Amino acid sequence: MAQDMTEKELLKMELDQLKKEVKNERQMISKTGKEIKEYIESMVGEDPLLKGIPEDKNPFKEKGGCTIS
């Protein structure tokens, strides 16, 4: 998509994006970092990458095997 655009169009798109970003409220990383860490630690018990997926709910579990005799 961006390959088909002129330089002027690309610059306008970038300017529009920067206008959106400047409106975002910024916070100190010392505050947000603690909040993110607390959230992650509180959700550890529900994380399927750490806990694993129960066999009965695993959509990727092989349904049956194939035997060649």
Side-chain angles (χ1 to χ4, degrees), residues 25-67:
E25 180 182 340
R26 295 177 179 253
Q27 296 183 357
M28 300 291 288
I29 188 64
S30 57
K31 179 182 178 222
T32 56
K34 289 176 189 174
E35 292 174 357
I36 292 170
K37 182 180 176 190
E38 289 170 3
Y39 174 78
I40 291 170
E41 288 174 348
S42 71
M43 301 301 284
V44 163
E46 300 174 28
D47 190 334
L49 296 175
L50 297 174
K51 183 179 168 185
I53 300 173
E55 288 294 320
D56 59 331
K57 295 183 179 181
N58 185 352
F60 303 105
K61 180 179 142 186
E62 289 190 34
K63 305 287 187 247
C66 177
T67 56

Side-chain angles (χ1 to χ4, degrees), residues 7-18:
E7 185 175 354
K8 183 178 178 181
E9 291 171 327
L10 288 171
L11 290 172
K12 183 183 181 327
M13 192 168 75
E14 184 177 355
L15 181 63
D16 292 341
Q17 180 63 33
L18 291 172

